[in-house]
Amino acid sequence: MTGETDLTPRRLRRARIAIAAVFCAHGAVTGSFATRIPWIQEHAQLSSGTLGVALAFPAIGAALAMPLAGRINHRFGARNALRGLLAMWTLSLVLPSLAPNLPTLCLLLFVYGASAGMSDVAMNALGVETENRLGRSIMSSLHGMWSVGALIGSAAGTVAAHAGAGARLHHLVAALALTAVGLVAVRGVLDLRGGQDDEAPPHFALPPKSALFIGAIGFCAVFAEGASLDWSGVYFRDVLHTDAGLAAASTTAFALTMALARLVGDKVVDRFGPVRTVRAGGVLATAGGLLVVLVRHPAGALAGFGLIGLGIAVVVPLAFAAAARSGAAPAQAIAGVATITYTSGLIAPSAIGAVADATSLVVSFGLVTLLALALVAGAGVLRATPGAGAGAADSASADQDEPASIQP
């Protein structure tokens, strides 16, 4: 990967701040959309069942479009590709609220998800490259900034909804503001391009083999995330028979511990390396799952969901970083892992519901606990491939699974 040559410490710090702002803007789109789903459902005249069908289309669009991102990145360069794809994503926020019916909503959500997925790959590829140049872990905090953006977007959406503003006006204003923020932020990211001798990736690339095992680790984490976000409140209501406020608190506990862990996770990764960090996270998430399943009390379940969020928080950022250093083209490898994790997010809520219908919701979270335990067993795939050119702390120490000692 070629590009800028004046990568002074000051320039790298600027690039880190810029890519963090990009992650924050990306998350804000998701938060803005999520808060107005009831408005979109009402105006498209959808039942809960048909809304569920429509909400599968963002993940479908993302999974199908992500493999295209590597080609776009190679053709236009990392900065230009991110500029275009991020603007496409922020502007796509206006689309869902325009849908008058189910078919139109499904189509618009497909486009919305495709732009989300391609911009996701582009920003993660640049995040990993920035991490390499800095020589220390930053991917966890970047994903933490995404969570911060999602919280900001959802808070603004909540205010707009309480003020009686329609989603069309709200999303138009938010889309324009976030597009402006994103375009300004992209100006500061690294300007990287493939070398003249680099072979262009295919127009549509399947995930490389190196990404499959890494993606499996991401799959387990995202499955636990989707199950906890979508079903923790139901678990409190139907299994523990609590009131709505405590049920909502369970989701909040999970989301907050996950966001906070991501913001501070880089220091842990730099100290212990990615393999030890994910193994320890798997132990915490497994302990949390056991609390949820075995301790039939709100306090135990609340602590359990908090531990699940804490345990899985850094897994996906580390999976993206490991994919980029696996020896395959970084954007292509990240696209492969992202496709697998998005697929997990797509099937997790319905899989939990299917298992609960066949057995019970307790058994469903027993499955989540087993997947958390798989993180302990499978963390070794996050070791860097020798000679892959990794430059961050985890790649320096992962093969020995020792604490990192690289300085920026």
Side-chain angles (χ1 to χ4, degrees):
M1 184 73 71
T2 61
E4 297 181 57
T5 57
D6 59 335
L7 293 179
T8 62
R10 181 178 179 181
R11 175 69 185 94
L12 287 172
R13 285 194 295 270
R14 179 189 172 205
R16 180 185 180 179
I17 294 171
I19 195 65
V22 167
F23 271 77
C24 188
H26 195 285
V29 176
T30 300
S32 298
F33 167 72
T35 56
R36 306 314 301 268
I37 289 175
W39 190 98
I40 293 169
Q41 177 186 14
E42 179 183 351
H43 284 75
Q45 298 181 336
L46 305 178
S47 66
S48 296
T50 53
L51 176 64
V53 171
L55 291 177
F57 276 79
I60 295 171
L64 291 177
M66 279 176 172
L68 299 171
R71 182 78 181 195
I72 296 171
N73 220 47
H74 184 276
R75 172 67 178 82
F76 296 102
R79 181 190 289 173
N80 288 334
L82 180 59
R83 180 182 290 114
L85 293 173
L86 183 65
M88 185 186 303
W89 164 233
T90 54
L91 292 173
S92 73
L93 176 61
V94 304
L95 297 178
S97 62
L98 302 177
N101 51 47
L102 177 63
T104 306
L105 181 61
C106 290
L107 176 61
L108 294 179
L109 286 176
F110 181 93
V111 175
Y112 170 86
S115 61
M118 290 189 292
S119 57
D120 191 295
V121 171
M123 72 181 187
N124 274 285
L126 253 178
V128 171
E129 189 62 34
T130 305
E131 180 178 88
N132 286 344
R133 304 299 177 96
L134 281 167
R136 55 191 169 88
S137 177
I138 64 169
M139 287 299 291
S140 178
S141 61
L142 290 182
H143 281 253
M145 287 302 297
W146 189 96
S147 298
V148 170
L151 288 172
I152 292 172
S154 62
T158 300
V159 171
H162 279 295
R168 289 170 184 166
L169 175 60
H170 163 218
H171 283 170
L172 176 61
V173 172
L176 293 175
L178 291 172
T179 300
V181 170
L183 291 176
V184 171
V186 169
R187 294 176 60 186
V189 304
L190 297 179
D191 187 15
L192 304 171
R193 294 180 178 272
Q196 292 182 350
D197 296 331
D198 291 350
E199 182 180 354
H203 288 279
F204 190 92
L206 293 175
K209 292 181 180 179
S210 60
L212 296 179
F213 293 110
I214 297 171
I217 290 295
F219 181 97
C220 294
V222 173
F223 192 99
E225 178 182 355
S228 298
L229 282 174
D230 290 358
W231 287 94
S232 58
V234 179
Y235 186 90
F236 268 69
R237 184 192 66 194
D238 293 352
V239 176
L240 302 180
H241 308 294
T242 67
D243 58 29
L246 195 53
S250 67
T251 305
T252 302
F254 174 84
L256 282 178
T257 55
M258 193 167 179
L260 291 173
R262 282 180 167 176
L263 289 172
V264 302
D266 291 320
K267 292 184 178 180
V268 179
V269 175
D270 282 336
R271 175 67 179 86
F272 297 104
V275 178
R276 285 180 176 176
T277 300
V278 170
R279 281 179 179 157
V283 170
L284 289 176
T286 302
L290 290 173
L291 280 175
V292 170
V293 171
L294 299 179
V295 181
R296 305 291 181 82
H297 188 276
L302 197 64
F305 282 115
L307 283 176
I308 293 173
L310 186 65
I312 66 173
V314 301
V315 176
V316 171
L318 291 179
F320 285 153
R325 301 179 184 119
S326 64
Q332 181 183 347
I334 289 174
V337 170
T339 300
I340 295 169
T341 57
Y342 266 66
T343 301
S344 178
L346 174 63
I347 69 173
S350 58
I352 291 296
V355 173
D357 283 342
T359 54
S360 71
L361 200 52
V362 174
V363 175
S364 294
F365 278 100
L367 173 61
V368 171
T369 305
L370 289 176
L371 291 175
L373 185 61
L375 295 175
V376 181
V381 303
L382 299 181
R383 288 190 175 93
T385 302
D394 56 339
S395 61
S397 61
D399 288 332
Q400 300 299 323
D401 202 18
E402 293 295 334
S405 59
I406 288 182
Q407 299 298 321

